[in-house]
Amino acid sequence: MTNFDRDTTPWFKQFWPWFLIVIPLVTIIYCAIMIYLAVTSENSLVSDNYYKDGLAINQSLAMDNKAKDLNLSAELRFGEAGRVSLILDGDLPTQPSFLTLKLLHPTVDGQDIEQKLLPEPGYVYSTQLATPLTGRWYVDVIAQDSSWRLKGQTALPSSTPTVLESGS
Protein backbone atom coordinates (compact mmCIF):
# COMPACT_ATOMS: atom_id res chain seq x y z
CA MET A 1 0.00 0.00 0.00
CA THR A 2 1.27 3.46 -0.88
CA ASN A 3 1.31 6.39 1.45
CA PHE A 4 0.01 9.46 -0.40
CA ASP A 5 0.05 11.65 2.70
CA ARG A 6 3.74 12.47 2.25
CA ASP A 7 4.90 15.96 1.30
CA THR A 8 5.27 16.06 -2.46
CA THR A 9 6.29 19.70 -2.93
CA PRO A 10 9.28 20.18 -5.24
CA TRP A 11 12.75 20.63 -3.69
CA PHE A 12 13.03 24.33 -4.60
CA LYS A 13 9.99 25.11 -2.47
CA GLN A 14 11.57 23.50 0.60
CA PHE A 15 13.43 25.46 3.30
CA TRP A 16 16.44 23.18 3.95
CA PRO A 17 17.92 23.00 0.44
CA TRP A 18 17.98 26.80 0.24
CA PHE A 19 19.47 27.03 3.73
CA LEU A 20 22.25 24.64 2.74
CA ILE A 21 22.90 26.53 -0.51
CA VAL A 22 23.00 29.97 1.15
CA ILE A 23 25.79 29.10 3.63
CA PRO A 24 28.47 28.34 0.97
CA LEU A 25 27.18 31.17 -1.22
CA VAL A 26 27.62 33.74 1.58
CA THR A 27 31.08 32.33 2.29
CA ILE A 28 32.12 32.70 -1.34
CA ILE A 29 30.87 36.29 -1.48
CA TYR A 30 32.66 37.14 1.79
CA CYS A 31 35.91 35.59 0.50
CA ALA A 32 35.65 37.54 -2.75
CA ILE A 33 35.24 40.80 -0.80
CA MET A 34 38.26 39.96 1.41
CA ILE A 35 40.42 39.10 -1.61
CA TYR A 36 39.42 42.37 -3.29
CA LEU A 37 40.32 44.37 -0.16
CA ALA A 38 43.63 42.53 0.25
CA VAL A 39 44.64 43.24 -3.34
CA THR A 40 43.50 46.86 -3.57
CA SER A 41 44.47 48.25 -0.15
CA GLU A 42 48.03 49.02 0.92
CA ASN A 43 49.38 47.35 4.03
CA SER A 44 51.72 49.97 5.46
CA LEU A 45 52.46 48.08 8.67
CA VAL A 46 54.50 45.36 6.98
CA SER A 47 58.13 46.23 6.36
CA ASP A 48 59.55 45.60 2.91
CA ASN A 49 63.01 44.90 4.31
CA TYR A 50 62.58 43.28 7.70
CA TYR A 51 66.19 42.02 7.80
CA LYS A 52 67.58 45.54 7.44
CA ASP A 53 65.10 46.78 10.07
CA GLY A 54 66.30 44.07 12.43
CA LEU A 55 69.92 45.12 12.01
CA ALA A 56 68.99 48.74 12.74
CA ILE A 57 67.70 47.77 16.19
CA ASN A 58 71.26 47.68 17.55
CA GLN A 59 71.85 51.24 16.36
CA SER A 60 68.59 52.36 18.01
CA LEU A 61 69.59 50.69 21.27
CA ALA A 62 72.97 52.45 21.14
CA MET A 63 71.18 55.80 20.73
CA ASP A 64 68.95 55.03 23.73
CA ASN A 65 71.96 54.00 25.84
CA LYS A 66 73.81 57.19 24.93
CA ALA A 67 70.82 59.25 26.10
CA LYS A 68 70.83 57.28 29.33
CA ASP A 69 74.57 57.90 29.80
CA LEU A 70 73.99 61.64 29.32
CA ASN A 71 71.08 61.52 31.82
CA LEU A 72 68.81 63.23 29.29
CA SER A 73 65.16 64.06 29.73
CA ALA A 74 62.82 66.44 27.97
CA GLU A 75 59.47 68.09 28.51
CA LEU A 76 57.43 68.36 25.33
CA ARG A 77 54.47 70.73 25.11
CA PHE A 78 51.93 70.81 22.32
CA GLY A 79 50.36 74.25 22.26
CA GLU A 80 47.45 75.68 20.38
CA ALA A 81 47.61 76.12 16.62
CA GLY A 82 50.27 73.42 16.20
CA ARG A 83 53.06 75.06 18.25
CA VAL A 84 55.47 72.52 19.77
CA SER A 85 58.13 73.37 22.34
CA LEU A 86 60.67 71.15 24.05
CA ILE A 87 62.79 71.83 27.13
CA LEU A 88 65.90 69.63 27.17
CA ASP A 89 67.63 68.69 30.40
CA GLY A 90 70.75 66.60 30.97
CA ASP A 91 74.53 66.50 30.92
CA LEU A 92 75.13 67.63 27.34
CA PRO A 93 78.60 69.04 26.65
CA THR A 94 77.24 71.46 24.03
CA GLN A 95 73.79 72.55 22.96
CA PRO A 96 72.76 70.86 19.70
CA SER A 97 72.08 73.26 16.83
CA PHE A 98 68.77 71.46 16.15
CA LEU A 99 66.83 68.35 17.13
CA THR A 100 64.65 66.11 15.01
CA LEU A 101 61.12 65.49 16.23
CA LYS A 102 59.42 62.37 14.88
CA LEU A 103 55.71 61.93 15.57
CA LEU A 104 54.75 58.40 14.62
CA HIS A 105 51.13 57.37 14.21
CA PRO A 106 50.51 53.93 15.75
CA THR A 107 48.56 52.50 12.82
CA VAL A 108 48.81 54.68 9.70
CA ASP A 109 52.32 55.02 8.30
CA GLY A 110 51.32 57.85 5.96
CA GLN A 111 50.47 60.16 8.88
CA ASP A 112 53.98 60.14 10.40
CA ILE A 113 55.52 63.60 10.83
CA GLU A 114 59.19 64.59 10.98
CA GLN A 115 60.12 68.17 11.91
CA LYS A 116 63.24 70.01 12.99
CA LEU A 117 63.14 71.60 16.43
CA LEU A 118 65.09 74.84 16.27
CA PRO A 119 66.89 76.25 19.32
CA GLU A 120 65.81 79.12 21.48
CA PRO A 121 67.78 80.46 24.46
CA GLY A 122 68.38 78.02 27.33
CA TYR A 123 68.04 74.48 25.90
CA VAL A 124 64.55 75.22 24.61
CA TYR A 125 63.59 74.06 21.13
CA SER A 126 60.44 74.75 19.16
CA THR A 127 58.70 74.21 15.85
CA GLN A 128 55.38 74.89 14.19
CA LEU A 129 53.28 72.00 12.88
CA ALA A 130 51.07 72.53 9.85
CA THR A 131 47.96 71.41 11.74
CA PRO A 132 47.20 70.60 15.38
CA LEU A 133 47.28 66.87 16.10
CA THR A 134 44.73 64.63 17.75
CA GLY A 135 44.91 61.04 18.87
CA ARG A 136 47.69 58.82 20.15
CA TRP A 137 51.26 59.37 18.91
CA TYR A 138 54.70 57.88 19.53
CA VAL A 139 57.34 60.58 19.98
CA ASP A 140 61.06 60.37 19.15
CA VAL A 141 63.48 63.25 19.70
CA ILE A 142 66.82 62.64 17.99
CA ALA A 143 70.06 64.63 18.22
CA GLN A 144 71.36 66.40 15.13
CA ASP A 145 74.19 63.87 14.78
CA SER A 146 71.92 60.89 15.60
CA SER A 147 74.05 60.09 18.65
CA TRP A 148 71.13 59.89 21.12
CA ARG A 149 67.36 59.55 21.16
CA LEU A 150 64.55 60.17 23.63
CA LYS A 151 61.30 58.22 23.23
CA GLY A 152 57.80 58.47 24.60
CA GLN A 153 54.14 58.57 23.70
CA THR A 154 51.34 61.05 24.06
CA ALA A 155 47.62 61.46 23.53
CA LEU A 156 46.67 64.77 21.96
CA PRO A 157 45.24 67.27 22.56
CA SER A 158 46.62 67.57 26.07
CA SER A 159 47.21 70.45 28.43
CA THR A 160 49.88 68.54 30.38
CA PRO A 161 53.43 68.22 29.02
CA THR A 162 54.78 64.93 27.72
CA VAL A 163 57.87 63.83 29.62
CA LEU A 164 60.50 61.99 27.60
CA GLU A 165 63.10 60.15 29.65
CA SER A 166 66.16 58.19 28.57
CA GLY A 167 65.09 55.12 30.54
CA SER A 168 61.73 54.69 28.77
Side-chain angles (χ1 to χ4, degrees), residues 25-168:
L25 189 63
V26 168
T27 305
I28 291 169
I29 292 170
Y30 180 76
C31 287
I33 291 170
M34 290 296 116
I35 290 171
Y36 171 77
L37 290 175
V39 170
T40 59
S41 63
E42 181 181 339
N43 188 356
S44 62
L45 297 179
V46 177
S47 174
D48 290 335
N49 195 346
Y50 57 89
Y51 180 75
K52 186 177 177 182
D53 292 344
L55 293 176
I57 289 175
N58 291 335
Q59 182 182 7
S60 298
L61 292 175
M63 291 169 58
D64 294 341
N65 290 335
K66 176 72 173 182
K68 197 172 198 175
D69 293 342
L70 293 171
N71 197 25
L72 292 178
S73 65
E75 188 176 277
L76 188 63
R77 293 182 184 271
F78 292 88
E80 295 179 15
R83 178 99 174 130
V84 179
S85 63
L86 179 130
I87 301 171
L88 187 62
D89 186 29
D91 303 327
L92 286 171
T94 60
Q95 182 175 0
S97 59
F98 69 89
L99 299 174
T100 303
L101 173 68
K102 290 186 178 181
L103 298 167
L104 308 169
H105 196 273
T107 57
V108 182
D109 189 34
Q111 291 187 3
D112 293 350
I113 298 170
E114 184 172 330
Q115 292 257 166
K116 283 187 180 180
L117 291 165
L118 301 175
E120 294 178 358
Y123 287 97
V124 176
Y125 295 83
S126 66
T127 190
Q128 181 69 38
L129 299 175
T131 60
L133 301 176
T134 59
R136 183 173 175 215
W137 294 86
Y138 295 115
V139 179
D140 286 354
V141 175
I142 302 171
Q144 68 184 21
D145 58 355
S146 298
S147 61
W148 55 264
R149 172 181 74 173
L150 294 173
K151 297 183 343 180
Q153 55 183 309
T154 187
L156 300 174
S158 175
S159 59
T160 60
T162 301
V163 177
L164 307 174
E165 296 179 334
S166 55
S168 59

Side-chain angles (χ1 to χ4, degrees), residues 7-19 21:
D7 188 11
T8 58
T9 57
W11 71 270
F12 55 86
K13 291 186 179 180
Q14 299 285 331
F15 168 75
W16 288 107
W18 287 112
F19 179 75
I21 290 171

